[in-house]
Amino acid sequence: MTRTALTLIALLFLPVAARAASPTIESVFPAAGQRGAEFTLILTGARLTGPEELLFYEPGVVCTRLAATSPSEAKATLRAAPDCRLGTYAFRLRTRGGVSEVRTFRITPFPVVAEKEPNDTPRQAQQVPLNVSIAGNMESGGVDCFAVRLKKGQRLAAEVEAVRLGGELTDAVLTVFGPDGRELGMVDDTPLFRQDPLLTLLAPTDGIYTVQVRETNNNGSDTSRYLLHIGDFVRPSAVFPPGGQAGAEVKVKLLGDAAGERTQTVKLPESADGFAFYATDGKTTAPTPNPFRVSPFPNVIETEPNDDPSQANPSPHGWPVAFNGVIDRPGDVDHFRFRAAKGDVIDVQAFAARIGSPLDTIVAVLDPSGAVLAANDDDETHDSRLRVTIAADGEYVVRITDKKKGGGPAFVYRLELSRPISGLTVFLAAPQRKSQDRQAISIPRGNRVLAYLGVRRDGFSGPVKLDLGQLPAGVKVTFGTIPADDYLVPVLFEAAPDAPLGGRLIEVNGVGGDAPNVVRGGFRQEANLTPGPGDSSFHAVRLSRLAVVVAEETPLSVAVVPPSCPFAVDGKLDLTVKVMRAKDFGASVEISFPCLPPGVEAPTAVAVPPEKDEAVVTLIAHPSAEVGDWRLAIEAKPGATARGRRDPLVAGAGNTLQNRRRVAEGMLPVASQLLDVKVAAPPLKGRFLPLVAEQGKTVKVTCQLDFAAPLSEALTATLDGLPPRATAKKVELKPGAKRVEFTIVVDATTPPGEYRSLVCELAGKVEGQNVVYRVGRGGVLEVHPPGAVKSDASGKALSPLDALRRNERKEGMKKP
Amino acid sequence: MRFAAIVLTVLFAAAGRSAEPSPVRIVVEPDVIELTGARDRQGLVVQAEFADGSTRDVTASAEMIFDKPVATIANGFVAPAADGAATLHVKYAGHSATLPVTVRKAKEVEPLRFRNDVLPALTRAGCNTGKCHGAASGKDGFRLSLFGYDPAGDHFRLTRELSGRRINLAAPDDCLLLNKATGKVPHTGGRRLEPDGEGYLLLVRWLESGAPKDPPDVPRPTQIEVFPREVVFAAKGESQRMVVRARYSDGSDRDVTRFTVFVGNNDGAATVAEDGTITATGAGEAFIMARFDEFTAGTAVIIRPGTPFVASPTPAFNYVDKHVQAKLDKMHLVQAEVCTDEVFLRRAYLDLIGLLPTPAEREKFLADPDPEKRVKLVDALLKRDEFLDLWVMKWAELLQIRTANGISPKGLRLYDRWLRDRVRAGFTLDRIVAELLPAAGGTFENPAVNFYQTETSPQQLAENVAQVFLGTRIQCAQCHNHPFDRWTMDDYYGFAAFFSQIGYKNAQDPRELTVYNAASGEMRHPLGDRVVRPRFLGGSAPKIESGQDYRAVLARWLSSSDNSRFARNFANIAWAHFFGRGIVEPVDDMRVSNPPSNPALLAALGQKAVEYHFDVAKLARDICTSRTYQLTTRRNATNRWDERNFSRQSPRRLRAEVLLDCITQVTETTNEFPGLPPGSRAVQLRDGPTPNYFLTIFGRSTRATACTCEVKTAPTLSQALHLINGETTTGKIAEGKVIERLLAEKKDAKQVAEELYLRCLCRKPTPAESARIAAKLGREPDPKQNLEDLFWALLNTNEFLFNH
C-alpha cells in the first residue's frame, strides 16, 4: 500500500472516530507498575483516537499523560502514589467518542522489568536481579527463561500473574531448574490462584537458577501476557486461620513456604473494607495477598480429634461464630458444637474454595439427636451454604468434610455462623451474561440512551427507590420506582446539545423495605476480564460505580409520535417512529423495542431504509396485556444491512470493509423519549351467537357488539379463526351499528368438528390513530357433514331433541 | 434296497478301518447317566483315540450292554425302562468302559414347562432369532425375546398379549401359532415345524394342558456340557456326533441336544448339521458352538491335512516354543526356519521401538560374534525410551485418550502426561488400573479421572473396561443375553453397577470437570426395573460397605493376580503386538465361541504375566527371544494354509504412526504436531484425532472406541496414491536433503544407493538390484535425481512398508 493510501485512510478515520463511537481496549501492556513510580501503559484496541481521560475506580494512581498514536493504540503515563494499595486497579478509557470497557493493571512492590527475547532456552535466559516483577509475553509456542543467582539455602520464590491480568486466557506453567539443569520444581495450577502458578524452594547450592514460564499447552500467542515476580520473598500457599474478628489481633500460620512454617501476628481493622493480608517474615513481604476474611464475630480454632459428633469442638461464644479448621488427611471429618435457641435462624457459610483452599466442602448441621437438619454441597460457588431454623433449644453440631474425600495440610476452611442479613444490590442489566457489552452509559450530545437498572433483593420484598449520584454536567435522567413485583426499571439518560464532553463514575443507591427495616444498597458490577467457555469467566473484577459519559454527537436520533389512544387489550395499534439523520448519514437504520408494556409485542427489529425517515410499526397487545400505565421507548442504530454497502458514518467512504464494520459496531444505539402509554380495555365487547354449519353450505353468523362509549368512526370487520377452507368476507361497519353479520362459506372439505376460535377483528382509525380491536374471542362454530343439521324456519340450528320433536309433529300431522 | 445300502456302508467302513491301527483307548461321554421321568433320555458319545492323537466317533459301532434292565439303548440314546440303578458296559476294538446308570420315576410323565420344554422348541425352530420374532421390534406384529432371555415375557406374549388370537385352547392344534409354524397359513418365516415332529407335538401337548404359566419353582438350567470336548479328525470327510447335556437348578440333568442350536466358525474346516453332527471338510481348525437357553459352550475341532507327517522337532528357545510346537504337532504342521540376523534386527527394532536400525547399528549387530546377540539386542531395545512410548500409545488407545466430550486440551495434555509418567516410572498395567478406576478429583488435579469424562454412562464404561482389560465384549448383553457367549443381562448390569455411583460436578476452572464417588444411585435391570448389585464379570458379587467406592472394589478384583482373565488378556495384547494377531483374535473378543488358537500358550503367557507383575517389557523379552518370534515369513509345504498357529512369522504392514516415524527417520526430517514440541514422533501424539492426513489414511486409531480394531493396517488406494504422489515421500526426501549430504561426504553414487538400501530396508542391494542401479546411474552425469528416485522407490516398496 502506498503512503498516500495510508494517509487517506488515516484522514478518513479522524472525523469518524470523533463521532460517538465507544473505544474498545483489547490489551494493556505491561499491565503493571511499581508502587511510587511512573510507568507507561500501551493500550491497544480500536477507536482510541481522541482520548480524554482514564476513569479510575479508586484513588492512588493518576494519569499524567494520555495520547493516541493511532486509532488502534494509545499510550498512558501513570504515576502510582508511594502509599497506594498494591494489587489490581480497574479503569475505563474515555474518548470523545465514548467510554471503553473495564480493563485493569497491577501495582507491584517490585521494580517492573521488561522481558527480552530471545530467552526460549535456559542458555538464553534473561539475567534478572532478585525481587523484580517481569512483564513478559509468551509468543507462539514460546517459552521464557529467566536466570537468578542464589546462595545455598537462600529462598527462591516465583509467582506468575497471568489470568489475574485479564485478557485472553493465559494458563502459565512455572518450572525452576537448578544450576546443573535439573528440574527442581514445576507448578501448573494452584488452589490459591487457580491457573496462576507459584512456587518456593531453598537453593541447594550456590549458582544460577533458571525460572521458566510457558503456556500449559505450548500454545502461547502475542496476547499471552504475564507478570512474573521473582525474589527471595516469603510466599505461603495457605494461611491458617484464614480469617479473624474485626479489631482483634490474630496469630496466623503461614503454610507451604519453602523456608518453613512461621506465625505472623496481625491486628485486624475494624472494617473488612480494603483489608488484604500480605504475608511477611519480617524481612520480606509477598507481592500478592492471601485471601483472608475479616468478620464481626470471634474465631474458634479446631482441635483434633473431632471426627465424631461426640468429639465436636465446642464454641465458647455460642453463635455468631467462625469455626476454623483443616481437613488434614484424606477422609477427615470435623465437627463443631454450638448452642442455639428455639427460633434462631442461622446462616452457615463455608469459606474454602473462595479463599484458595483445595477443599470442596460438604457441610451439614445436626440436631441434638444427631439427625441431619440440613446439608449442602455447593451454593453459588463451590463452598457450602445453608440456612437452618432452630426448632428447640439445645446443642447443635456442624459437620464439614471434603466432597472428594481428600485432605491435607493446605485444606483449610472457615465456617461462619451468622444472622441472615437483608441486602440490596443495584446492577445494570446486561444484554449478554458475562460480557462487558453495554455495561457503561455513553450518551451522545443532544441525544438519549436507554438502560435498565435492576435490583437484587436479599431478605426483603417490596418496591425499591433508586437514587443516582452526581451525573456529568448537562445530563438528565428519567426513571421510576422499581415495583414490588419487578426487578428492572427503564432509565433514560439524556445529554443536552451543549453538554460538555465529560464523564463520571457515579454512585447508584437503592432503598427498599419498610421502616424500621429499611434496606439500603449500592451498585455492583462484575466486569468479566477473561471470558471462559460458554457463560463462564476465568477472571472478573467487582466494581461499585456506574460509568456515565457524554460523548460527541451521533448522526442519528429517533422519536416516537405519541399514540392518540391507548393500547386496547387484545388489539393492535400502529406506532409512528421518526428517524432523524444528519446530512452526511445516509444509511439504513434499525429500530428495536427494548421497553414495552407487558403483553405488548413488537417486531424484533424494523429497518428504516435510507430514503425514509419514518416507520409505522404495528404493535400487538395480547389478551394477556396488563391494563395500566406503562412506559415505552425505542432504540435506533445503524442497520445491519447498511454495513456491507456503505459506511453509515462516512459519506461516500472508500475505506475497507473491516474498518467500516468497526465504526458501525462502535456506534452507540440511541433511544427515543421514554413515553408514558396506557393499556386499556377495548371500547367495545363482542359476543358470537352459537352457530352450526354443514360442509359445503353457507351460514350467517352474528356478533353482538356492546360499546362502552358510542363509536363515531366506521370500522372494517373481519372474521378470524375460521376452520380450514372456510371463508368469510369483510364487512364494513357503520357508526352506531350494534351487531355485525358475516357470511361464512364452509367448504365441502372443511373437516367436521367444533371450532372455538372465532374472533371478530375490527380495524379502523380512532382519533386519527390506526387501531384494531379483537372482540368476541372464542366464538363457536360447529361443522357437520351434509344433512346432519336440522334447523328451524329461521335457519337456527335445532338441538337433537328439538329436531326429534319437530319430526314427530310433522309425521303426526301427516296422519289422517 | 435301503437295507442293502446300510450293509454296504458298514462293509466299506469296516474295510477302511481294518487297514488302520487300533485305538489306544476309548472315551465314553457323559460318564454318568441319570434318567428322571418317562420322557427323559440321554445320548452317548463313544470316541476312539489313536496313537497319533486323532479321534474317531465309534458310537454307532460300539457294543453296549446293561447289566440290569433299567434302561434300553437305541441309536446311541439311553431311555428309561424301570426305576433302579445299573451299569452300562461299552466295548469297542478290545477296549471297554463302564458307566453307572440311574433311573427314577420311569413311569411318571412330568408336566411340560414353558421355560424348559416349550421355549427350547421355539428357539430350536429359530422363532426367536434376531431376524425373526426375536428382533427388537419383533416381526410381523409378534415379538419374542431374543433366544428366549425373557421367558415370562414370552409366555405373556404368546398367551395374553392378543387374547384368543395366537393360541386356541379349545382347539390346540388349530391355532395361529401352530398354523404359522407349520406353514398351514402364509408365514414369512416359512415352515419351521414339521407336523408330528417333536417340537410340534411338544407345543400341542403344552397347549392341551392349558398353556400354563410355569410355577415359580420351575428348575432353571444352570450350565450345559458338550460332548465330546475335543475332536481331532485325521482327515477330511470324517464325522462326529455331539451330545449336549444341561444341568438344572434342582440337580437334575437332561439331554438337550435336539433343542440346541449348533454353529461352526470355519466351514472350510468343519461343518455342523442341525442335529449336531460335525463333518470335516478340510484341513484346519473349527470351533463348534452349541447354544441352549442362556448358555454357550463348544467343542474345538482339529482337522489334519491327511498327508503323511513326520514330527521334526525344533529346538525350543523357551516355554513359548514348547507350547507352539505341541500345537503344531497336533495339527501336523512343520515350523518354519529361523530368520537371518538382518531380518531379525529390522523386525525387533520395528516391533520394540517403532524405528529402523541405522546402518551403524546394523553394522555393529552383524559384526557381533556373540551367539546370544539376539537376546542382547532385545534387552538393549527394551531399555530404550522409545519402547515405552510405543506402549504408552497402545494403552492410550485402549483408554481412548482424546479430546472428546468436552475434554479440554489442557485436560488431555495432563491425562497423557499422567499415563506417560506412570509408564516411564515403571508402573505396570495392574498399578495403572488400580489408580485409574477409583480415581476421583478434578480432571486437572487428578488427570486419571479424564477416563470418566471420555465416557460417562455406566453401561459404556463397563463395556469399555470389559473390552480393554478383560478382552471381553459384553455389549450384546445390554439388551439380551449374549448369543455367542456366556454373558447374560444379569452379568451385564451387575458389571455396569460398579459404575453406577460416579458423581460429576463442575470444577473451579470452567475447563475442568470433577469426578467423585457419589456413594448413592443403583443400577437397574431393564426387565422389571429391579436393583442390580455390583457383580464381577463371570465372578461373585462382592460385599461392599456402604459408602465404599464400588470402583475401588472393581479395580482390586480386576488387576488382582488371581484374575487369570486380566492376565490372559494382557498377555494376548502383548503377543498380538509381535505377531500381528492374538492367540485370541480379534484381541479384544475373547468368548466361548472364539477360543484361543493355543490355550496352553495363552495360559502360560498369562501365568508369566502375573509372575512379572504385568511388566510388558519382561513378557516382550520372552516373546522376542522365542524361536517362534524369530521364524521367517516364508511358508513351507506343511504350513502353507496355516494362519493362526504361529508356524511362521507373518508380514505385517507398519502401523500408521510407526510408518510415518520411519519415513521421517530415514529422510532425516521432523514433523510438527499441534501441541507437541517440534521433533516429536507420531507415536508420541497425545490426542487420538490429531489432524494429520498421512496418519488418517494409513488407519491410525482415532481412539473413538475402546476397540483394538480402531488401528487399521489394511491397504487402501489412497495410501498407495499418497506414497506415490503425496507430500510425505517426495516432500520429505526434498526436505531432508539426505542425498545431497551423502554426496557432499564424497560418497559415490553407488555407495549412496547402498546407504539408502541399508537405511530403508536394512540390507544391501542384491547383485541384480545393484546391476540395474548401476546401469541407470551410469546413463546420467548428475546422480542426484536418480538417487532421489531410488529413495522414493524404496519408500514405496512393500519391503519398506511391512515388518517381515
Side-chain angles (χ1 to χ4, degrees), chain A residues 169 171 173 186 188-189 194-195 214 216-218 353 360 377-378 382 403-404 533 536-538, chain B residues 409-410 413-414 417 440-442 444-445 505-511 514-516 675 677 686:
Chain A
L169 175 68
D171 189 348
V173 178
M186 189 198 72
D188 186 345
D189 295 348
R194 314 245 182 277
Q195 298 82 15
R214 64 177 175 83
T216 185
N217 296 324
N218 300 324
D360 182 0
D377 174 8
D378 292 349
H382 280 253
K403 174 97 177 168
K404 294 174 273 183
S536 63
S537 167
F538 285 101
Chain B
K410 176 164 176 168
R413 180 183 67 76
L414 294 171
R417 193 185 157 113
F444 291 179
E445 65 172 333
K505 69 186 251 186
N506 289 330
Q508 301 278 356
D509 191 311
R511 300 167 297 172
T514 298
V515 176
Y516 61 95
R686 282 176 198 151

Side-chain angles (χ1 to χ4, degrees), chain A residues 39-58:
Chain A
F39 56 97
T40 302
L41 300 182
I42 295 171
L43 314 176
T44 44
R47 303 180 293 278
L48 303 181
T49 7
E52 292 269 289
E53 64 170 328
L54 296 186
L55 296 167
F56 291 106
Y57 279 82
E58 59 182 303

Side-chain angles (χ1 to χ4, degrees), chain A residues 1 9 13 647 654-661:
Chain A
M1 206 183 284
I9 286 175
F13 258 112
D647 190 278
N655 50 1
T656 65
L657 186 67
Q658 192 191 359
N659 290 336
R660 283 204 298 267
R661 285 229 173 92

